[in-house]
Amino acid sequence: MSKYAKINSENIVENVIVCEDSSINVLNGFYVKETESTGAASIGFAWNQSKGKFIKIQTYPSWTLNEETCEWEPPTPKPANPWKGYWDEESQEWIELIPSPE
């Protein structure tokens, strides 16, 4: 059994199913098999046929798509690991989570 993403006419994933490889041709529509090289698919992801990759939903409006990796990138790189925090879209910066003293 494999996972397949159903791609609509706008190259958007509209469904993800688990199906026997031998049965996928019986279904109506265009399906792409999830592989290590395509990455995982979820409903709403885009299918980039020329790169053979699923593209996640844009994380934040300020992030841009890296056309080489098909990954969304922030305007400012995330601090190096180990680091805990989150991106604040309003201030356009990474906010570090500081553990509370106990």
Side-chain angles (χ1 to χ4, degrees):
M1 298 279 254
S2 300
K3 283 188 176 180
Y4 285 87
K6 184 175 185 182
I7 311 299
N8 70 17
S9 61
E10 296 173 351
N11 289 323
I12 302 299
V13 176
E14 63 180 34
N15 199 5
V16 178
I17 64 168
V18 176
C19 181
E20 291 288 344
D21 292 339
S22 60
S23 301
I24 197 68
N25 293 331
V26 181
L27 301 175
N28 289 330
F30 174 58
Y31 287 85
V32 175
K33 183 178 180 176
E34 281 188 13
T35 66
E36 191 174 322
S37 64
T38 65
S42 286
I43 293 172
F45 282 22
W47 170 243
N48 183 319
Q49 186 152 357
S50 65
K51 297 284 185 189
K53 293 196 176 285
F54 293 108
I55 300 173
K56 296 177 182 176
I57 297 168
Q58 187 175 9
T59 312
Y60 296 98
S62 65
W63 291 28
T64 56
L65 184 65
N66 178 320
E67 295 293 334
E68 284 299 309
T69 64
C70 294
E71 296 286 335
W72 293 101
E73 296 180 348
T76 305
K78 185 177 180 179
N81 285 332
W83 186 85
K84 291 187 179 186
Y86 63 94
W87 175 255
D88 181 62
E89 183 66 10
E90 188 174 321
S91 66
Q92 297 281 295
E93 63 184 358
W94 292 99
I95 307 296
E96 186 171 13
L97 293 176
I98 301 170
S100 60
E102 291 189 56

